Amino acid sequence: MTESQEIEARLAGVRYEGLDRVDPGYLAQRDSIRPGDVVDTAAISQEARKMSALQDFDTVSYRLDGDPESPTLTWLPHEKSWGPDYLKIDVGAYA
């Protein structure tokens, strides 16, 4: 057989775990990876680097849970332990 047998896994969902201070909705709004997207570890790693650049986190990791053909992307951002414990104003404008 000369045809590719490769199966494209698509994300069933995207979740955020372990957040105490940062709103998961804020991260979801910034995230370019959505349910239904083809699993692309390079794109996920790039998104993790973008999320890590936010001043709210020490590190950001992820895992793929569930069915290998339709996994859920679970983000595991580790919030900075020293803050912020103050009001942060964000106008939602991004370059």
Side-chain angles (χ1 to χ4, degrees):
M1 197 171 230
T2 58
E3 292 183 38
S4 172
Q5 296 297 312
E6 189 173 320
I7 297 172
E8 287 188 348
R10 295 198 174 268
L11 292 174
V14 178
R15 303 174 355 146
Y16 301 85
E17 281 188 3
L19 296 172
D20 293 322
R21 292 181 291 273
V22 177
D23 179 8
Y26 169 70
L27 296 177
Q29 179 184 7
R30 296 178 51 89
D31 195 349
S32 63
I33 298 173
R34 304 276 185 246
D37 287 354
V38 172
V39 174
D40 179 349
T41 56
I44 294 170
S45 294
Q46 180 180 3
E47 195 65 40
R49 285 189 297 275
K50 285 175 31 184
M51 199 180 301
S52 294
L54 298 174
Q55 295 180 0
D56 301 300
F57 305 113
D58 285 327
T59 61
V60 175
S61 58
Y62 67 90
R63 68 176 184 252
L64 295 169
D65 299 318
D67 181 358
E69 293 181 21
S70 186
T72 296
L73 171 61
T74 301
W75 289 110
L76 305 163
H78 183 260
E79 293 173 312
K80 290 185 177 178
S81 59
W82 54 265
D85 289 330
Y86 53 85
L87 181 62
K88 181 177 176 182
I89 305 297
D90 186 352
V91 295
Y94 308 103

